[in-house]
């Protein structure tokens, strides 16, 4: 054992030396990634030191070996197969020849960035039952590195510091204020001034959002900032947010807003501004979504759907900008934030740019939070624009669905979700993975909170999945994905590309006049950054949603991306193309690369498997209500799965009442993440879910027999 450890240490040591020799960079692997190197990340284009490539989070690789002229020769350098069909959303970090990346269920791996040789793996062994609380798949968006350590936020709330050389745990701390609440971590931590900063998610199910900073060496908590007020009966939190909550936030809420947690989770963007020494956090949606239920339809509900600027050392409030006051559509503003200096009306302005779910592209003066400009980048039925004097959206009267339902665009999946956008200082364009996904919003009559389950206050059954193939196709045709090259000064697109479906990958811009993006259909592509001309494409054999990165080892430029389909859209919607579940992969490309993926087999679908039992229409209707409010959020609306999780219409258990009960009621598959739903539903109710899914299976079987 001891000898094995020593051999591993020696091997790792030699790899670090080799990495240093070829990259010629300062320091020595992650051990040398100190505050100065992080601040100077843009001066090291051969490495990818932070989540967004540098503190500016522009995701711009200043490398020119791969260019618009030669990208046609790009080929696979190496690939590594992963162990799961769940979504892969991570941004790999690359330091002096070593890649650190995460995979679903918060696992971490260190790889030789030139060869793909696995150096170590770390599995935090997250209890799979936590997966039920993950609104949008059990994904992880990556690690942060600093001074010989690799930091990961685990789905179950642990923030874990690993030894970068060995993958061994150095410290671990529980970041959830209450582990019994349905919090989850999917976002990447950031290291800022010796602090590790992490937020969490869970606002669909009912939590109160916050962000916490920990000492990177000891793991001790330094400060915590709650984004929304708590239960006034419990008094102040004793946290740095108390003063600003009392001064600004509390009066903007009404009713018993604390009952559902309030929401406002900081589940993605956490960005450090090294020029102004400020930290920007993107704050998520309200919980429950419906403002009528959450806050009696009154008040702006600060700091929901806002960017909040804090002092990084103390967490003290500096300023905020709220894009969607009184949000009621799941319009998070936690989407990626990127920093730059733009020439606006002849003057250089230090700005932050953000394109949150609500469909507006915001350019904000980061010195004071003043809105400079905002323009819609996707179809918007909820608002007509933004009043630049007040910074508030000009809402359409019916958009709040106070009496009737309303078809809202964009919707909960966002005109832009977490998929990172990139910015090229050479073209001055932002490369934005946008989408068009409408949702019909209608208040859920007789809403009752269910602890630990989804609590939206929106009647999802008012978005029925049509049985008629022509109607189905008509809705599917409305769903689009786009790659938009957005000019943030002129606030309009320079060019755009339309995809068949939404939920495409994050983007990478490079100095080779290129933009790289994977898409939900499984193509990893390169476009000319100035014109959008498609120059290169690679079949990943699975949908790609993660953002690519680029780096150099030994004088060779590589482009890397995590492939592996998943996340909110394929889990929850009915209109995605059905596909076979495939394990994810790390894919790495270089000029002249000749590696090959194994030949993909044609998708094999089990036959639809309707039960022979005679269910009553009342059973089917009851099952529909339960299924669409609970099961369909992971197994697909209308029981249409897109393959990330099993298609229940084809499940062997569907035809057998006992087998169904063993799984759905008794939790037989909880080790896979399929927990028991006995907490919320009786055996009879879960049997009516079988009735509904069985009915859907019967319809599918009929359609397949008719060749539709
Ligand atoms: Ca949300």
């Amino acid at each position: 054992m001891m000898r094995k450890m020593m051999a591993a240490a020696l091997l790792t040591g030699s790899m670090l030396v080799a990495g240093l020799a070829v990259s010629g960079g300062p320091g020595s692997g992650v051990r040398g990634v100190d505050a100065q190197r992080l601040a100077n990340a843009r001066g090291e284009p051969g490495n990818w030191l932070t989540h967004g490539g540098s503190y500016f989070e522009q995701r711009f690789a200043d490398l020119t070996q791969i260019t618009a002229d030669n990208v046609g020769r790009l080929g696979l350098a190496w690939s590594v197969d992963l162990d799961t069909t769940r979504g892969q959303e991570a941004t790999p970090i690359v330091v002096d020849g070593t890649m650190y990346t995460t995979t679903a269920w918060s696992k971490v791996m260190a790889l030789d960035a030139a060869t793909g040789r696995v150096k170590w793996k770390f599995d935090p062994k997250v209890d799979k039952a936590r997966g039920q609380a993950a609104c949008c798949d059990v994904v992880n968006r990556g690690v942060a590195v600093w001074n010989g350590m690799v930091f990961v936020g685990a789905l179950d709330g642990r923030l874990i510091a690993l030894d970068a050389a060995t993958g061994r745990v150095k410290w671990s701390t529980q970041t959830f204020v209450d582990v019994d609440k349905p919090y989850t971590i999917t976002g990447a931590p950031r290291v800022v001034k010796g602090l590790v900063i992490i937020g969490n998610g869970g606002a669909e199910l009912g939590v109160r959002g916050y962000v916490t900073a920990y000492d990177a060496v000891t793991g001790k908590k330094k400060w915590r900032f709650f984004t929304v007020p708590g239960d006034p009966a419990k008094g102040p939190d004793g946290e740095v947010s108390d003063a600003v909550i009392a001064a600004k936030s509390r009066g903007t809420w009404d009713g018993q807003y604390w009952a559902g947690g309030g929401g406002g989770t900081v589940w993605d963007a956490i960005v450090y501004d090294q020029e102004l020494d400020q930290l920007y956090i993107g704050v998520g949606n309200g919980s429950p979504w419906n403002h009528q239920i959450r806050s009696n339809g009154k008040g702006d509900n600060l700091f929901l759907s806002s960017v909040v600027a804090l002092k990084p050392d103390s967490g003290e409030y500096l300023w905020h900008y709220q894009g969607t006051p009184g949000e009621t559509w799941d319009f998070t503003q936690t989407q990626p934030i990127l920093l730059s200096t733009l020439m606006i009306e002849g003057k250089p302005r230090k700005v932050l740019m953000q394109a949150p779910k609500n469909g507006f592209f915001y350019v904000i003066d980061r010195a004071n939070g003043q809105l400079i400009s905002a323009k819609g980048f996707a179809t918007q039925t909820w608002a007509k624009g933004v009043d630049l004097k007040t910074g508030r959206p000009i809402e359409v009267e019916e958009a709040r669905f106070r009496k009737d339902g309303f078809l809202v665009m964009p919707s909960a999946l966002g005109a832009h979700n977490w998929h990172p956008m990139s910015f090229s200082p050479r073209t001055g364009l932002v490369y934005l993975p946008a989408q068009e996904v409408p949702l019909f919003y209608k208040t859920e009559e007789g809403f009752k909170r269910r602890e630990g389950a989804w609590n939206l206050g929106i009647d999802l059954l008012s978005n029925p999945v049509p049985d008629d193939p022509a109607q189905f196709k008509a809705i599917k045709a409305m769903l689009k994905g786009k790659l938009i090259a957005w000019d943030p000064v002129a606030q309009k697109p320079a060019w755009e590309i339309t995809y068949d479906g939404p939920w495409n990958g994050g983007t990478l811009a490079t100095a080779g006049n290129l933009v790289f993006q994977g898409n939900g259909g499984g193509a990893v592509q390169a476009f000319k950054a100035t014109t959008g001309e498609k120059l290169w494409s690679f079949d990943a054999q699975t949908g790609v949603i993660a953002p690519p990165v680029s780096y150099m080892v030994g004088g060779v430029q590589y482009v890397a991306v995590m492939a592996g389909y998943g996340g909110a859209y394929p889990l929850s919607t009915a209109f995605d193309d059905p596909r076979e579940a495939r394990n994810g992969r790390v894919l790495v490309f270089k000029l002249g690369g000749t590696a090959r993926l194994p030949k993909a087999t044609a998708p094999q679908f089990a036959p639809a498997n309707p039960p022979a039992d005679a269910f009553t229409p009342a059973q089917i209707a009851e099952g529909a209500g339960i299924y669409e409010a609970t099961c369909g959020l992971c197994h697909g609306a209308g029981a249409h799965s897109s393959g990330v999780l099993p298609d229940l219409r084809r499940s062997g258990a569907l035809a057998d009442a006992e087998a169904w009960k063993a799984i759905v009621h008794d939790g037989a598959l909880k080790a896979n993440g399929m927990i028991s739903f006995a907490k919320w539903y009786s055996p009879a109710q879960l049997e009516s879910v079988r009735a509904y899914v069985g009915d859907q299976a019967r319809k599918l079987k009929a359609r397949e027999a008719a060749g539709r």
Side-chain angles (χ1 to χ4, degrees):
M1 181 64 186
M2 195 62 201
R3 187 180 295 176
K4 218 172 168 182
M5 277 163 58
M6 280 175 63
L10 281 171
L11 191 63
T12 311
S14 68
M15 290 313 298
L16 290 176
V17 172
L20 179 64
V22 291
S23 72
S28 158
V30 167
R31 218 154 286 283
V33 179
D34 53 11
Q36 201 182 344
R37 258 185 101 182
L38 287 180
N40 188 40
R42 292 205 288 194
E44 290 188 48
N47 287 314
W48 195 276
L49 296 180
T50 76
H51 190 63
S54 76
Y55 280 140
F56 295 83
E57 302 237 357
Q58 293 178 353
R59 293 179 178 269
F60 175 72
D62 197 3
L63 297 172
T64 53
Q65 190 174 87
I66 303 166
T67 68
D69 292 329
N70 66 20
V71 71
R73 293 199 293 113
L74 201 63
L76 190 67
W78 55 265
S79 67
V80 169
D81 287 8
L82 303 175
D83 60 358
T84 174
T85 62
R86 305 299 292 264
Q88 304 298 342
E89 297 187 354
T91 297
I93 299 291
V94 182
V95 186
D96 301 335
T98 300
M99 174 187 292
Y100 303 92
T101 193
T102 62
T103 60
W105 297 111
S106 331
K107 296 178 186 180
V108 188
M109 56 204 301
L111 303 151
D112 183 314
T115 67
R117 186 181 66 81
V118 176
K119 295 186 170 188
W120 53 257
K121 290 185 183 183
F122 170 73
D123 179 358
K125 298 197 164 56
V126 168
D127 180 351
K128 300 271 196 302
R130 183 63 64 167
Q132 177 267 334
C135 68
C136 310
D137 209 348
V138 294
V139 293
N140 188 281
R141 286 187 290 279
V143 298
V145 298
W146 181 78
N147 278 8
M149 286 185 275
V150 175
F151 304 95
V152 64
L155 195 73
D156 59 14
R158 284 172 293 160
L159 178 65
I160 304 168
L162 303 172
D163 185 315
T166 63
R168 267 194 213 101
V169 176
K170 295 194 84 157
W171 55 258
S172 173
T173 188
Q174 177 51 252
T175 70
F176 292 163
V177 290
D178 183 346
V179 291
D180 294 327
K181 295 270 185 208
Y183 284 105
T184 49
I185 297 180
T186 57
R190 309 295 204 280
V191 177
V192 175
K193 303 176 88 177
L195 300 174
V196 191
I197 302 169
I198 188 80
N200 49 55
E204 272 53 61
L205 296 92
V207 298
R208 180 183 177 208
Y210 61 91
V211 60
T212 318
Y214 296 88
D215 184 302
V217 176
T218 64
K220 286 225 164 63
K221 181 183 141 197
K222 184 84 185 287
W223 55 259
R224 173 168 292 148
F225 187 95
F226 280 100
T227 58
V228 298
D231 181 350
K234 291 187 177 158
D237 299 298
E239 305 290 0
V240 62
S241 40
D242 281 345
V244 68
I245 292 277
K248 286 196 184 289
S249 162
R250 189 154 278 153
T252 69
W253 293 75
D254 199 72
Q256 294 203 323
Y257 53 82
W258 58 88
T265 49
V266 183
W267 59 260
D268 197 58
I270 300 172
V271 176
Y272 177 55
D273 180 341
Q274 65 190 62
E275 295 176 318
L276 300 175
D277 192 29
Q278 300 185 143
L279 186 76
Y280 309 119
I281 59 168
V283 182
N285 58 280
S287 178
W289 290 358
N290 192 326
H291 187 233
Q292 293 291 323
I293 293 170
R294 186 176 69 242
S295 186
N296 289 329
K298 291 179 192 157
D300 288 351
N301 294 183
L302 292 172
F303 294 101
L304 292 184
S305 305
S306 303
V307 176
V308 182
L310 306 173
K311 288 186 190 171
D313 301 288
S314 62
E316 285 167 272
Y317 166 92
L318 292 165
W319 55 255
H320 77 277
Y321 172 75
Q322 185 178 45
T324 312
E327 92 83 18
T328 191
W329 308 274
D330 185 24
F331 280 173
T332 66
Q333 198 152 348
T334 193
Q335 277 57 51
I337 292 169
L338 60 81
L339 312 182
S340 187
T341 298
L342 296 181
M343 289 299 285
I344 292 170
E345 290 171 354
K347 284 194 201 120
R349 301 279 294 269
K350 286 187 169 58
V351 302
L352 72 79
M353 294 177 255
Q354 193 188 27
K357 278 188 184 178
N358 71 12
F360 287 110
F361 191 101
Y362 295 101
V363 178
I364 294 170
D365 187 324
R366 50 189 155 99
N368 51 24
Q370 191 205 331
L371 180 66
I372 295 173
S373 62
K375 277 277 158 61
F377 60 86
T379 308
Q380 292 168 304
T381 64
W382 75 285
K384 292 186 165 143
V386 174
D387 179 341
L388 289 183
K389 281 203 195 80
T390 62
R392 299 174 75 91
I394 303 157
E395 283 184 22
V396 171
E397 174 75 27
E398 312 88 305
R400 287 186 176 267
F401 55 96
R402 285 199 179 93
K403 289 193 195 83
D404 306 315
F406 190 67
L407 189 75
V408 184
M409 290 180 78
S411 65
L413 285 163
H416 172 221
N417 208 300
W418 61 270
H419 316 81
M421 57 189 195
S422 57
F423 173 72
S424 167
R426 301 224 175 167
T427 63
L429 300 175
V430 174
Y431 300 96
L432 170 59
Q435 56 190 18
E436 308 244 327
V437 188
L439 186 72
F440 191 77
Y441 286 71
K442 192 166 175 289
T443 293
E444 181 184 343
E445 299 299 332
F447 169 79
K448 263 208 182 105
R449 261 181 49 72
R450 293 173 305 149
E451 196 65 34
W454 282 59
N455 291 291
L456 307 181
I458 305 289
D459 179 12
L460 292 176
L461 267 180
S462 58
N463 287 272
V465 180
D467 295 325
D468 175 51
Q471 281 177 24
F472 186 90
K473 268 189 199 147
I475 295 182
K476 191 171 161 62
M478 291 174 72
L479 310 178
K480 288 189 188 77
K482 282 183 179 179
L483 169 58
I484 305 176
W486 188 264
D487 180 337
V489 176
Q491 283 280 28
K492 61 178 193 193
W495 54 260
E496 63 180 49
I497 285 160
T498 303
Y499 294 113
D500 285 344
W503 214 248
N504 302 297
T507 70
L508 164 75
T510 81
N513 195 19
L514 291 169
V515 178
F516 288 90
Q517 184 190 28
N519 66 38
V524 182
Q525 299 182 315
F527 304 91
K528 193 181 258 190
T530 40
T531 65
E533 184 190 346
K534 187 166 93 179
L535 300 172
W536 174 80
S537 184
F538 177 88
D539 178 11
Q541 303 177 353
T542 175
V544 178
I545 51 177
V549 302
S550 191
Y551 58 90
M552 283 189 100
V553 183
V556 176
Q557 184 186 354
Y558 297 86
V559 173
V561 70
M562 305 292 291
Y565 199 47
Y569 176 73
L571 286 186
S572 65
T573 65
F575 300 97
D576 205 3
D577 293 326
R579 60 186 90 194
E580 193 178 42
R582 295 220 172 103
N583 282 3
R585 287 191 177 108
V586 190
L587 299 175
V588 177
F589 306 94
K590 65 176 179 182
L591 290 178
T594 54
R596 292 270 177 274
L597 294 179
K599 202 165 179 273
T601 50
Q604 308 252 325
F605 297 111
N609 189 26
D613 310 60
F615 294 110
T616 64
Q619 269 180 306
I620 294 170
E622 181 188 50
I626 296 168
Y627 180 93
E628 299 302 338
T630 302
C631 321
L633 300 161
C634 289
H635 286 280
H640 290 241
S641 164
S642 45
V644 181
L645 290 187
D647 191 314
L648 300 181
R649 298 170 301 175
R650 303 178 188 278
S651 164
L654 184 59
D656 181 340
E658 284 308 307
W660 182 266
K661 181 172 175 286
I663 297 168
V664 182
H665 184 273
D666 304 339
L669 295 180
K670 70 172 194 283
N672 300 350
M674 174 58 200
I675 60 163
S676 157
F677 285 81
K679 190 159 50 159
W680 300 291
Y681 300 112
S682 69
Q685 286 175 313
L686 295 174
E687 176 68 354
S688 53
V689 173
R690 191 170 76 93
Y692 172 64
V693 177
D695 194 50
Q696 293 295 96
R698 187 180 53 74
K699 289 171 182 166
L700 174 64
K701 193 170 179 177
R703 279 198 300 275
E704 286 184 344
R708 292 182 295 181

